[in-house]
Structure formats: C-alpha cells, structure tokens
Amino acid sequence: MKGFHEKTARYWNPVLETLPQEKLRPLQVKKFRRILQWAYERSKFHRKLYQEAGLEPGDIKTFEDVARVPKVEKAMMRDIQRKDPFPYGDALCVPLEEVTVFRQTSGTTGTPVYQPDTWQDWEWWSEAWAYLLYAQGYRKTDRVFLPFGYNIFVAFWAGHYAAEKLGCEVIPGGVLDTEARLLKIQELRATAMMATPTYVLGMADTARKKLGINPAKDLTIRKITCAGEPGASIPSTKQRMEEAWGAKVYDHVGATEIGAWGFECVEQPGGLHVNEALFLVQLEDVETGELIEEPGRKGKIVITALDRIAQPCIRFDSKDVAEWSRDPCPCGRTFRIIQGGVTGRADDITKIKGVLIAPSAIEEVVRSIKGLGDEFEVLVTKKGDLDDITLKIELLPEGEGKREAILGQLKDQLRLKTNLGYNIEVHPYQSLPRYEVKAKRFKDLRKHG
Ligand SMILES: [Zn+2]
C-alpha cells in the first residue's frame, strides 16, 4: 500500500497522469470521436465544416486520422457570433437555457470571441485547473490569494474554483488596488497566488517602493502560478519573479476558447506538461501541416478539448508555435512536455529588417541584465523604406553608476540573441507604463504608416 499512497499524494489523478502513452492515445482517440460526433449531430457550424471536407465522425479511427479533421480558427468563431442562438451562433451544441456563464476573449488580436459554458463545462474547467494546481504543490494547507479583477475574462476564475476544490482557503482579491492587495497578503499570511508575470513583477515593485515591504522576506507567498503571458517560461523573467518573491514560479497555458491545457509541475522541467487526459494536442508543420511527433522540431499547436460540450473546441488552431521535449519528467507524469513552454505565437513572430523575431526573445535579454528595471517597450516603425526598432528601458537607481557598462552589455546581448541593432532609449525609473493584465510592450507601427 505504501507505493499506492505515495502515488495518490503526488498526483491529482494518479491513474490518468501515469498512464503509459500507448494506453493514453487510444483513450484520447475514443474521446475525440465522441466529441466530434457530439458536435456533428448538434451544431450546423461543425456539420457543415466536416461535410465540406467529406468527413464523418466514424472515419476517425487512429491518432493520425485526427489530423485529417479540419481546423477551427478564431476568425471563424467571430463570424458566427451575434447570430442565433444569440449571441453565440450555431456552434452551440446545447439548448441556450443550459448555458450558465458568459465569457469573452480579451480581444488582443481583434474583436472579442464569446464563449458559453454549461455548469458541466464549468466543473470541467475547474477540474483542468485542479490537475495543474496540484502538480504545482497546492494543498489543503494553502491560503491562496487571487489578485485579479473578477470580470468577463476567464483569467483566474477557474483557478479560484479549483483551489477551493482542492481544499485550499481562497481569498478573492478582486477590486482592491495593488497596495491593498499586498497588505492583505501580509495580514493573512497567504502562501500562494496567481497572476500574470507582468503583475507579479509590478506588485513586487510597488511593495518595495510604496510600502517598504520586501516580498521575499516580509511576505509568505511561496508558490506563484502564472498565466496570460509567456513570462514564466522565459528563464530570465522567471528568475526575476522568483528572486523578488522568494517563491517558486510556475507557468500554465490556456485560453478562453480552449481551456487550461498545459502546466509546469514542481520539478520545473523547462517545459509544460500537456494535460493529455483532458486535451488532445498535436503539433503540425507550419507549412505542410504534417504531424510532428519527434522532439526538437517546431510546429503549430492544434488542440482539442475532449470534454467541453457547450461550444466544443475541436482542432483549434492556437497560432502558437512549440516543440516536444526529448526527456521524460522526473515527476513521473506520462503527459508529454512542450519544451520551453509556449513563448512564440505565430501571430507575434514578425519580420524586422528581414530578420524573423519573437518579442519573447527581446524580453529574455532585457530581463537577464542586472541593473535594468522590469519594464520595457519595443517600438517598430518605418523610416523611408527601412525598418527602425526602438527599445525603451528603465535603468534601476542602483544601475546609474554603471550606465555605460549595462547599456553595452544590453546591446551585445541583443545583437547576439536577436541579430538586430536597436535604438536604445533610457527612461527614468518607473516612467514606462505598468500593466495589470496582459502587457502591450511590443508595438509595430509600420502598418499604420
Ligand atoms: Zn513533471
């Protein structure tokens, strides 16, 4: 029995999280067929999509067959909404009265997409988050603080419910401002919190400058779960957060239309486990669409939520790019790992001066240099026919004496890691914009003249 208890203590779902891949795959395919059938029978949107591709749910028999099913893109979901059944449109697979909650995407890449969920979907959302919080060491003894605006964005809502489901004590830090949140964390000795990387760093900054609190010494937060931005998978940003808070920082990846589909475990293996009990994730070659199974080759992430019923997520084209890890994780989970997390969106990767660049590469460099503040901004413009790239940074007060050395190091590292030259603008400490949710640090003004 000893082995059994060790196992149950380690995993939220000891059976599924340690199921060998050869058993996991048939289970995924079976569940994929089930959700495909569900959508085919109940939604005009899905039936039309599959009929036009000459496909019926029964045609899908293997993992490879799954890749034949047409993908769904965000824009397609945008086109059907505001129509009947209002406001979701005909991808809805349940009677409208079964819908218990409305959410919408943040709209960073265009018009927001509406997302209906039933109560069963909502239980599924918190179940997905329960896997990830448990893997990150959340237990009944934790007092979890949630410093986010509880509103129409899904953000950390499911994290809240999952923490309760685990038996943690949850403090909803909704409409409080940053200082009040910090004081509450201190007053109640909270042990864990969830926030975007930008806000995690911003809170630490406010604590030190406005309240004279050093989060690493004066507060008791020892676990932080990040979402919304790739920062927790960017080594230098992760290190900054961990040092500022004296806490372990874990990444997680999810989206309103998909669910919480990947997470980092306590072993911090340098990547994110895909929750293969609840999701089927495939990587496809960006150009040919060929299924990528081997490690180390980048591909587009295509995701199916196997159990989401109101507005199913079947072969959703996430526009994110990633690669499979070579190594199994010491935690013993058999769920495959996305190496290095999800740090490059296909949308974000852009060509500047003929060089392909992901904004996360600039972040990695800026945050790796001691003496620079956490905030920065990248501005891409056009001067005549030439691209021009400006990087605005803040020098920390303690960096003033070493200004030339720091800027020299920054330029060298940028050239080395991104193959580009930048105009560097040094701004006074704390003068660049601060963000509470998703930061907008990368501004490409070339399209607007
Ligand atoms: Zn692991």
Side-chain angles (χ1 to χ4, degrees):
M1 285 304 277
K2 191 168 169 280
F4 176 76
H5 286 302
E6 270 170 22
K7 226 175 153 179
T8 50
R10 207 162 172 188
Y11 310 108
W12 175 248
N13 188 321
V15 176
L16 291 174
E17 290 179 72
T18 57
L19 206 61
Q21 280 286 326
E22 61 268 26
K23 290 191 177 163
L24 206 45
R25 288 248 168 131
L27 182 66
Q28 289 182 304
V29 174
K30 200 172 167 187
K31 287 176 86 176
F32 182 88
R33 276 175 60 151
R34 186 179 66 175
I35 194 69
L36 193 66
Q37 184 82 40
W38 169 270
Y40 190 87
E41 283 169 8
R42 285 168 181 79
S43 130
K44 264 192 243 166
F45 168 81
H46 283 100
R47 193 165 47 247
K48 186 162 169 262
L49 185 67
Y50 305 138
Q51 277 174 345
E52 279 173 3
L55 205 93
E56 285 185 19
D59 298 339
I60 307 306
K61 296 188 171 67
T62 65
F63 193 80
E64 289 70 30
D65 288 344
V66 170
R68 292 170 45 208
V69 176
K71 290 187 272 287
V72 171
E73 293 187 19
K74 201 173 206 158
M76 295 159 78
M77 302 311 289
R78 246 179 229 133
D79 290 344
I80 58 166
Q81 66 188 17
R82 290 169 191 273
K83 294 174 190 154
D84 284 337
F86 185 84
Y88 303 109
D90 58 13
L92 191 68
C93 288
V94 296
L96 194 55
E97 60 268 29
E98 296 294 317
V99 174
T100 56
V101 70
F102 167 91
R103 304 270 182 233
Q104 67 175 55
T105 60
S106 59
T108 31
T109 54
T111 314
V113 175
Y114 300 154
Q115 184 71 42
D117 280 312
T118 64
W119 183 248
Q120 184 181 322
D121 287 324
W122 194 245
E123 288 186 332
W124 163 84
W125 258 111
S126 20
E127 179 68 3
W129 269 83
Y131 274 86
L132 87 91
L133 293 182
Y134 202 83
Q136 296 176 352
Y138 286 68
R139 295 295 182 271
K140 288 180 177 187
T141 44
D142 279 303
R143 184 171 287 153
V144 185
F145 192 90
L146 281 104
F148 86 101
Y150 287 71
N151 57 19
I152 48 173
F153 306 122
V154 78
F156 296 96
W157 273 103
H160 175 121
Y161 283 89
E164 284 191 9
K165 188 171 178 171
L166 257 62
C168 304
E169 184 183 338
V170 180
I171 312 164
V175 293
L176 304 174
D177 66 17
T178 302
E179 288 173 49
R181 283 167 174 167
L182 285 158
L183 292 171
K184 212 63 183 166
I185 286 172
Q186 188 175 41
E187 176 194 335
L188 296 174
R189 297 181 200 157
T191 61
M193 70 173 193
M194 306 173 199
T196 61
T198 294
Y199 197 55
V200 171
L201 289 171
M203 280 177 93
D205 213 32
T206 302
R208 286 187 299 258
K209 298 293 169 319
K210 301 253 173 76
L211 301 169
I213 288 174
N214 174 352
K217 290 210 178 78
D218 305 327
L219 301 179
T220 44
I221 298 284
R222 293 298 168 259
K223 285 185 279 289
I224 300 173
T225 300
C226 285
E229 300 165 342
S233 282
I234 297 173
S236 59
T237 300
K238 188 192 206 84
Q239 195 187 346
R240 278 192 176 217
M241 290 191 276
E242 293 198 328
E243 282 173 9
W245 285 86
K248 284 277 181 191
V249 170
Y250 301 110
D251 200 7
H252 127 264
V253 63
T256 315
E257 315 92 307
I258 305 168
W261 60 271
F263 58 84
E264 192 175 5
C265 65
V266 283
E267 299 286 347
Q268 296 182 313
L272 306 173
H273 285 285
V274 172
N275 185 337
E276 295 187 295
L278 303 182
F279 297 88
L280 191 155
V281 172
Q282 293 182 320
L283 297 190
E284 294 183 359
D285 188 281
V286 177
E287 258 136 47
T288 64
E290 181 199 348
L291 194 59
I292 298 176
E293 291 274 64
E294 69 270 32
R297 189 174 145 203
K298 282 198 191 321
K300 189 156 74 168
I301 310 175
V302 183
I303 311 172
T304 298
L306 297 167
D307 307 273
R308 192 175 197 176
I309 62 167
Q311 185 165 285
C313 166
I314 300 172
R315 301 252 313 141
F316 188 80
D317 182 347
S318 73
K319 306 280 180 194
D320 288 321
V321 176
E323 62 186 78
W324 295 116
S325 164
R326 274 168 215 289
D327 306 310
C329 187
C331 76
R333 280 179 185 78
T334 49
F335 293 171
R336 287 181 296 171
I337 293 176
I338 296 271
Q339 186 63 39
V342 178
T343 53
R345 283 182 66 85
D347 285 354
D348 290 346
I349 295 172
T350 180
K351 221 174 211 180
I352 302 171
K353 300 180 187 175
V355 176
L356 276 178
I357 182 160
S360 58
I362 303 173
E363 174 173 341
E364 164 68 4
V365 171
V366 173
R367 298 266 171 81
S368 72
I369 291 172
K370 286 207 168 27
L372 292 185
D374 295 324
E375 282 305 334
F376 65 94
E377 211 170 87
V378 181
L379 211 64
V380 188
T381 52
K382 229 174 173 54
K383 279 188 180 158
D385 284 338
L386 296 174
D387 292 337
D388 198 55
I389 179 162
T390 300
L391 172 63
K392 300 178 182 180
I393 44 120
E394 291 181 356
L395 204 58
L396 292 175
E398 54 265 39
E400 282 298 344
K402 292 169 260 172
R403 192 185 170 106
E404 290 315 309
I406 290 170
L407 293 183
Q409 196 192 351
L410 176 64
K411 278 182 188 161
D412 290 349
Q413 286 299 311
L414 284 168
R415 164 94 37 211
L416 197 70
K417 303 269 169 64
T418 70
N419 292 311
L420 285 170
Y422 299 72
N423 314 311
I424 311 261
E425 274 181 21
V426 183
H427 288 250
Y429 180 49
Q430 290 199 311
S431 68
L432 291 176
R434 259 68 185 160
Y435 300 92
E436 272 201 26
V437 280
K438 290 188 189 189
K440 295 183 181 74
R441 297 195 185 89
F442 190 87
K443 290 175 183 152
D444 192 341
L445 304 179
R446 287 174 296 183
K447 289 149 205 147
H448 315 292

